[in-house]
Amino acid sequence: MIGRLQGLLAEKNPPQLLIDCNGVGYQVDVPMSTFYNLPGVGERVTLLTHFVVREDAQILYGFGTAAERDAFRQLIKISGVGPRTALSVLSGMGVSDLAQAITTQEPGRLIKVPGIGKKTAERLLLELKGKLGADIGVHAGAASDAQADILQALMALGYSDKEAALALKALPADVGVSDGIKLALKALAK
């Protein structure tokens, strides 16, 4: 119904905004990733939106990018995950981090988000596999499996997910698992 809002940012009270669109103030809930990238109060802002109608409320959710809105829509399709939980997930981790967690099937990264338990994290990983995980720049097919295995091996050795992901980016696309682990370890040792 309401797909986009453009107007002046009237108020900022995390996670809610008030956007003045030609004299009409729209109250919008946004994830923290969008909130941190907003201009100052009184400046123009454009948000993509998702409108939720319930028996007791009509709530407008806003997003700075189409990827955030798409991820939100994928999350709320899952049984037991409502808009508040989806907003919490997107506030706790970026879309690329969420996609990487889904691709590598790591429930531990989702459990760190407030309100997400082990069972919900596993359900998210299962239901979003193939829908959101493909958004990160990992090559399809065997390369994807090899890179996922290398990433898991590095994390099992105690490297953080960011360190492992940086080492993985430096590797050639067609590298095998054992060679990839060796090269990644050499890069991380520097």
Side-chain angles (χ1 to χ4, degrees):
M1 178 179 237
I2 300 173
R4 182 175 70 111
L5 288 177
Q6 185 173 18
L8 296 178
L9 185 57
E11 292 179 20
K12 289 168 65 171
N13 297 315
Q16 294 183 334
L17 310 174
L18 185 64
I19 300 177
D20 183 350
C21 299
N22 296 323
V24 178
Y26 289 94
Q27 188 172 356
V28 184
D29 288 6
V30 297
M32 295 312 290
S33 53
T34 295
F35 190 86
Y36 293 136
N37 293 316
L38 290 171
V41 173
E43 294 184 39
R44 291 195 70 70
V45 66
T46 301
L47 293 176
L48 299 172
T49 61
H50 181 84
F51 188 53
V52 174
V53 178
R54 299 187 327 219
E55 283 182 26
D56 60 341
Q58 296 181 15
I59 305 169
L60 198 56
Y61 295 94
F63 307 94
T65 65
E68 280 183 334
R69 182 173 68 176
D70 293 342
F72 177 83
R73 288 178 172 169
Q74 289 293 331
L75 285 165
I76 62 174
K77 287 180 185 177
I78 298 170
S79 174
V81 177
R84 288 275 172 215
T85 304
L87 209 61
S88 179
V89 170
L90 291 175
S91 291
M93 61 192 328
V95 176
S96 60
D97 291 336
L98 176 61
Q100 189 172 18
I102 292 164
T103 300
T104 57
Q105 292 292 295
E106 298 176 57
R109 292 173 74 178
L110 290 169
I111 292 171
K112 293 177 185 174
V113 175
I116 302 291
K118 185 176 180 183
K119 288 183 180 181
T120 304
E122 289 171 353
R123 187 168 56 244
L124 287 172
L125 293 177
L126 178 67
E127 294 196 30
L128 291 175
K129 187 174 185 177
K131 294 178 184 174
L132 199 60
D135 289 348
I136 63 172
V138 176
H139 302 287
S144 167
D145 293 339
Q147 290 193 353
D149 289 345
I150 295 167
L151 187 68
Q152 286 180 337
L154 292 173
M155 290 176 56
L157 290 171
Y159 291 100
S160 73
D161 50 351
K162 288 183 180 180
E163 290 172 325
L166 285 172
L168 194 63
K169 285 181 183 178
L171 298 178
D174 59 345
V175 71
V177 176
S178 61
D179 291 336
I181 293 170
K182 289 176 189 173
L183 291 171
L185 288 172
K186 284 181 184 176
L188 288 166
K190 292 180 182 177

